[in-house]
Amino acid sequence: MKKSLILLLAAAMTASSAVAQQYITIFGTSLYDDKEFIYPSGIPIPADEVEKITYEVDSLFDTRLLYGRIAADPSNSLFSEALKLTALADTLLKYDRRFLDGTERTYFRYKSHVNSEVGWYDMERFYDYTVFVEPNNVFADAGIRTIDQLKAYAKDIYDAVYPEDAQVSDPKDRRNSLNRFMAYHILRYPMRLNQLTAYDGNTLADNFNRDIADISAYHTTLMGAVFKVSAPKISGNDLYLNRRGVKDNADKYGKKVPGIKIVNGSSVEAMNGYYHLIDGILTYDQQTIDNVLADERWRVDIKLLSPDFMIHAEELRGNYLMDEDPNNPNPYSPYGRNIAYKWGTLENFTANNTDDQYNTYPLVHRRAHKVFWCYEGDEINLFGLSDFTIRLPLLPAGQWEVRLGYCGGIPSHPDVALYLNDELTIERLHMSYSYSQNRDKALTDESAPKVLPGPKEYASGYTSNALLWFNENDNLCRAVVGRIVSDGKNNCTLRVRVHGPETQGNLYELMLDYLEFCPVWIADNQEIPED
């Protein structure tokens, strides 16, 4: 018997639907048949089993989205009022699901070193958010109880950082001080607390040495500026925003900034993301810039360079110890999935070369494993000849040394040319060389790139008594790409161009792990070694 499907929709909602051959897939809040059986959103339904679809307005739909969830709590009234005034409430009321290229799950088969694997194509794209919310009592502690007081507070902070925009009075304008204040609280991807850093309180935790450095991650906000999330080794598993230090102490440079604590147990899930309460006022103020973000080295895992990686955070983490069988690929593997991205579908990654020999294979994000020689266990792989540009996170004003972290010592890894802001800085980096091979070459060749060993804060291995720290692994390298001067207002770029030979094809593997952005005063500090 054919079914009659009832789809509840909000009048303001943008629903996406797709028909692929004999299947119908609908994204919505609730999907029922005439027997009141509930279908999960996004599940394909055989078209020949469906007689009709009836659309009904769900008057409560907006209350299930992020802005609705935030506004529903009266203790968030000032924050929700500011969201509405800046029109960022409209952003948080979006529910956007779409197919990039058909609805049939397909995969790309490849070989990474000795591992035969598959990457499942990034077929679905959704646009969700994470919001960090100050409740009314946090604002009240700073003497802020009305929207006018919040506007004045934001103006004092952001006019000092962006004096050229001090006269922008429209709160819906992204250059406006209140708009910047609110946008700095929002990420363009959904994050549970245990996804904000690589620390999940469980399997991967012992791969970090938190006695010498916090586990940290650098996230780009809707404002464009970055904030830092830290998981320090102190009581509990608390997370902090824009914190500096090691455990309860200052770092080796004598700097300590307590940061803003994310309130444990405060997280609220909505249909289009999450919001988390914080115990202080989050700003991109000059003090935070000077003492935290512009004054210490960033190590940015490659997945944080595009929100289109981060929307797959759950499946890219998966099971750190188990793999699916590549001979029997399963798109719904309980162990997680590697994700393959076609060029043109990734924000911040742009293919440069229109030559047919370049960029013919997808980019693959390999999910995290404890034993991989990769920072935080995951990496990006490209195959064949590649030529692409990465839009880098927005760095505070100043001079920075840029480094590329990767695994060397593998014959299939190519030689690459590297450019910063379109200026060639390395003509040929031998990514197949180990650290010691690069070091020895530099002794006899002044033109050879400078390559550092891997960082000592992270290790690979199954158990704490069998860890191989990255600075002791000769295969792990950090190439010094060059130095750039950031104006603090515009994003810099990194271009990567693979040299031949063309005959390697799919077997020719470029591996990217992480980037480091190091203030020059730290890189050049002879009295306090960086690592």
Side-chain angles (χ1 to χ4, degrees):
M1 175 181 289
K2 291 189 175 182
K3 303 176 177 67
S4 295
L5 300 183
I6 302 172
L7 177 64
L8 296 182
L9 297 171
M13 171 190 168
T14 301
S16 63
S17 63
V19 178
Q21 298 178 352
Q22 71 271 33
Y23 290 93
I24 296 175
T25 305
I26 302 176
F27 294 100
T29 143
S30 302
L31 181 63
Y32 303 88
D33 66 12
D34 49 351
K35 303 297 184 182
E36 293 298 306
F37 178 80
I38 301 177
Y39 291 87
S41 174
I43 296 297
I45 303 169
D48 58 4
E49 295 183 10
V50 177
E51 183 177 35
K52 67 178 180 178
I53 298 176
T54 302
Y55 298 88
E56 298 181 1
V57 173
D58 182 357
S59 60
L60 298 177
F61 187 80
D62 283 358
T63 66
R64 301 185 181 106
L65 299 175
L66 264 171
Y67 177 71
R69 297 299 297 261
I70 294 169
D73 187 337
S75 65
N76 301 330
S77 61
L78 185 52
F79 191 93
S80 60
E81 185 180 358
L83 284 173
K84 196 167 186 179
L85 188 63
T86 56
L88 288 165
D90 297 337
T91 298
L92 302 180
L93 284 171
K94 290 180 181 177
Y95 185 80
D96 192 348
R97 302 290 189 273
R98 66 186 68 174
F99 285 113
L100 295 177
D101 186 16
T103 58
E104 183 178 353
R105 294 187 182 274
T106 58
Y107 57 83
F108 169 66
R109 190 179 294 278
Y110 61 93
K111 189 171 185 179
S112 179
H113 188 30
V114 296
N115 301 301
S116 295
E117 299 176 349
V118 298
W120 292 91
Y121 278 103
D122 178 35
M123 180 184 73
E124 302 160 54
R125 183 59 47 82
F126 52 92
Y127 298 84
D128 288 355
Y129 302 91
T130 306
V131 188
F132 298 86
V133 176
E134 294 99 345
N136 293 343
N137 65 295
V138 170
F139 284 128
D141 288 344
I144 303 170
R145 292 176 173 82
T146 68
I147 192 65
D148 286 338
Q149 290 172 333
L150 181 57
K151 288 166 68 175
Y153 179 87
K155 187 169 180 59
D156 284 345
I157 289 172
Y158 286 97
D159 283 1
V161 179
Y162 301 95
E164 66 275 16
D165 296 329
Q167 303 306 314
V168 179
S169 58
D170 181 359
K172 296 180 182 180
D173 190 316
R174 281 292 172 88
R175 299 168 299 164
N176 173 264
S177 55
L178 182 64
N179 196 295
R180 280 193 165 113
F181 176 90
M182 298 303 295
Y184 192 60
H185 290 66
I186 304 173
L187 305 178
R188 211 278 275 156
Y189 39 84
M191 291 277 100
R192 297 199 307 270
L193 288 186
N194 70 346
Q195 296 170 333
L196 285 166
T197 69
Y199 179 71
D200 63 354
N202 189 11
T203 312
L204 204 62
D206 55 7
N207 292 65
F208 293 87
N209 184 349
R210 290 196 288 166
D211 290 325
I212 59 176
D214 290 353
I215 301 174
S216 300
Y218 293 83
H219 293 268
T220 296
T221 67
L222 285 192
M223 175 192 153
V226 169
F227 62 58
K228 176 187 177 186
V229 183
S230 299
K233 187 179 180 181
I234 54 180
S235 60
N237 296 323
D238 294 327
L239 296 176
Y240 296 81
L241 303 176
N242 290 338
R243 178 188 189 273
R244 184 169 183 181
V246 179
K247 299 193 289 188
D248 280 325
N249 308 313
D251 63 17
K252 61 186 175 182
Y253 303 104
K255 304 292 182 69
K256 181 179 180 181
V257 177
I260 296 168
K261 183 179 176 181
I262 303 174
V263 179
N264 267 328
S266 70
S267 302
V268 175
E269 183 177 1
M271 288 186 60
N272 60 338
Y274 302 87
Y275 82 81
H276 314 288
L277 298 183
I278 53 180
D279 73 352
I281 300 180
L282 176 64
T283 62
Y284 188 70
D285 61 290
Q286 198 61 54
Q287 185 175 5
T288 298
I289 295 169
D290 292 343
N291 295 327
V292 182
L293 295 171
D295 199 46
E296 65 176 352
R297 180 187 63 194
W298 302 9
R299 183 173 296 128
V300 181
D301 193 68
I302 200 77
K303 62 179 170 286
L304 283 164
L305 297 181
S306 175
D308 299 318
F309 294 143
M310 296 303 292
I311 63 175
H312 294 291
E314 181 71 21
E315 53 197 328
L316 286 168
R317 178 172 284 178
N319 187 308
Y320 294 119
L321 306 176
M322 302 295 291
D323 280 306
E324 68 171 324
D325 180 359
N327 296 315
N328 296 286
N330 176 10
Y332 304 103
S333 170
Y335 306 135
R337 294 192 298 161
N338 305 316
I339 307 294
Y341 299 85
K342 294 182 179 180
W343 288 104
T345 66
L346 269 175
E347 186 175 329
N348 298 334
F349 281 70
T350 304
N352 294 321
N353 205 313
T354 57
D355 189 308
D356 289 343
Q357 292 182 334
Y358 278 81
N359 305 321
T360 57
Y361 299 102
L363 180 153
V364 177
H365 191 166
R366 298 179 74 204
R367 66 180 184 83
H369 289 69
K370 281 178 68 67
V371 296
F372 277 8
W373 290 349
C374 315
Y375 180 66
E376 299 187 355
D378 63 336
E379 65 183 18
I380 299 297
N381 288 170
L382 299 98
F383 303 91
L385 292 178
S386 301
D387 184 352
F388 58 97
T389 296
I390 303 172
R391 184 174 184 259
L392 301 178
L394 183 61
L395 299 169
Q399 189 176 14
W400 297 79
E401 183 169 281
V402 181
R403 303 161 184 167
L404 172 64
Y406 65 96
C407 179
I410 296 176
S412 61
H413 287 187
D415 294 352
V416 299
L418 299 172
Y419 306 71
L420 287 172
N421 293 336
D422 295 324
E423 180 180 344
L424 179 66
T425 56
I426 295 180
E427 169 59 36
R428 187 173 291 270
L429 172 65
H430 300 281
M431 297 190 76
S432 61
Y433 284 12
S434 65
Y435 163 67
S436 59
Q437 286 177 302
N438 278 295
R439 179 199 61 204
D440 294 346
K441 182 175 177 58
L443 294 175
T444 58
D445 183 356
E446 293 184 355
S447 66
K450 181 180 179 181
V451 176
L452 306 174
K456 64 181 180 180
E457 298 96 333
Y458 187 79
S460 60
Y462 278 112
T463 61
S464 58
N465 61 357
L467 294 176
L468 179 59
W469 295 99
F470 274 26
N471 64 318
E472 300 171 354
N473 186 335
D474 192 46
N475 290 81
L476 299 178
C477 306
R478 287 177 289 173
V480 177
V481 182
R483 294 187 172 186
I484 53 176
V485 176
S486 171
D487 63 3
K489 309 293 173 64
N490 297 285
N491 296 76
C492 298
T493 61
L494 169 66
R495 179 184 175 190
V496 182
R497 179 173 59 84
V498 172
H499 293 292
E502 297 84 348
T503 54
Q504 286 275 36
N506 187 338
L507 300 179
Y508 209 10
E509 177 191 20
L510 170 63
M511 178 271 203
L512 305 177
D513 190 0
Y514 59 91
L515 295 175
E516 285 185 351
F517 305 99
C518 186
V520 167
W521 80 266
I522 292 178
D524 291 344
N525 194 320
Q526 299 298 313
E527 296 181 4
I528 306 176
E530 185 183 338
D531 287 316

